Amino acid sequence: MELFLDTANIDEVRQGARMGVVTGVTTNPSLAAKEGIGRLEAYRRSVEEIAGIIDGPISVEVISTDVEGMITEGRDIATWIPNPWVKLPSTQAGIEAMSVLTSHDIRVNQTLCFSVNQALLGARAGATAVSPFVGRLDDIGQQGMDLVEDIVQVYRTHNIRTKVLAASIRHAHHCVMAAKAGAHIATVPFSVLMQMVKHPLTDAGQSRFSQDWRKASS
Ligand code: G3P
């Protein structure tokens, strides 16, 4: 399972890149707003900076909610960086814009996916990846990871090549579950990447090795 960083924070992207384990980045208007980005030009500059750090797909979400607006924005975003995935929502307008953009070889990440049917429609519309939002389903009392499992299974049954990108990941156990479910990619906040690497026994073991070596060599 590949790991993407779900952030618009440049410092987090740099740290993730240095670890050598991050192969893409996903952004959205909320993550951009968290970094004080409120204008398209600033969003573009930030995405260009991210693309200069990570040599992989960078997902950039459209702001428009109508078909024409999404198509215009999607075409523009596709010129920003070498490897853009235009994020389009799982709405009627989003699916329509998706079909148009993918027919022009623009890669699309279908976002805000909350059902297998939406994922089937996105696949038909040519999405490169579909993003089931795990945490937001958990938030309303459902088992978000079931959706990832179901989409993986249905795509396998029908030899669908759209990648399953587990999104709205809230903690490290979500990553384990996404990997077990067969997700191709999980996009994780930086804090979750840190949770993934952290284990108290690793820290205790490292400090014990250092102490023992110091004793033996003193
Ligand atoms: O990748 C989607 C993600 O940014 C949404 O996460 O935590 O806002 O549900 P969250």
Side-chain angles (χ1 to χ4, degrees):
M1 184 176 74
E2 283 187 66
L3 285 174
F4 286 6
L5 265 187
D6 196 28
T7 185
N9 181 290
I10 303 294
D11 187 50
E12 291 181 352
V13 173
R14 280 209 185 93
Q15 289 189 59
R18 281 203 300 270
M19 284 175 77
V21 295
V22 172
T23 50
V25 174
T26 53
T27 67
N28 64 39
S30 304
L31 292 170
K34 205 169 141 201
E35 301 307 315
I37 297 165
R39 290 188 180 276
L40 204 59
E41 265 317 300
Y43 193 12
R44 178 179 180 149
R45 277 198 301 278
S46 156
V47 166
E48 286 171 345
E49 201 172 348
I50 292 169
I53 301 167
I54 294 283
D55 183 23
I58 313 298
S59 290
V60 185
E61 189 149 349
V62 298
I63 313 293
S64 299
T65 55
D66 64 299
V67 181
E68 281 315 311
M70 287 187 201
I71 293 171
T72 307
E73 270 187 64
R75 284 198 164 121
D76 181 39
I77 289 167
T79 66
W80 289 5
I81 50 173
N83 198 353
W85 285 5
V86 176
K87 268 176 118 177
L88 293 168
S90 306
T91 58
Q92 183 183 352
I95 299 289
E96 198 175 322
M98 215 174 280
S99 295
V100 173
L101 290 173
T102 60
S103 75
H104 288 91
D105 291 331
I106 291 174
R107 293 198 172 167
V108 167
N109 172 356
Q110 179 191 359
T111 191
L112 290 168
C113 176
F114 293 100
S115 74
V116 174
N117 279 323
Q118 289 177 327
L120 280 170
L121 292 170
R124 294 301 308 169
T128 294
V130 61
S131 295
F133 271 36
V134 175
R136 292 198 195 181
L137 283 167
D138 289 355
D139 289 346
I140 60 162
Q142 294 185 25
Q143 191 62 258
M145 204 52 74
D146 287 353
L147 178 59
V148 175
E149 271 177 35
D150 289 347
I151 298 172
V152 167
Q153 190 197 320
V154 168
Y155 278 8
R156 266 192 200 141
T157 302
H158 296 279
N159 289 320
I160 291 170
R161 294 173 61 177
T162 302
K163 289 177 191 291
V164 180
L165 195 172
S168 185
I169 295 289
R170 301 282 176 73
H171 48 73
H173 191 56
H174 270 158
C175 297
V176 176
M177 290 193 289
K180 284 168 107 171
H184 303 92
I185 309 162
T187 187
V188 303
F190 184 76
S191 58
V192 173
L193 184 66
M194 292 300 100
Q195 286 173 16
M196 288 174 78
V197 73
K198 199 85 186 149
H199 197 289
L201 291 179
T202 304
D203 294 342
Q206 188 186 39
S207 117
R208 173 79 171 274
F209 287 152
S210 299
Q211 278 170 20
D212 289 348
W213 183 252
R214 265 199 308 275
K215 263 188 242 156
S217 58
S218 61

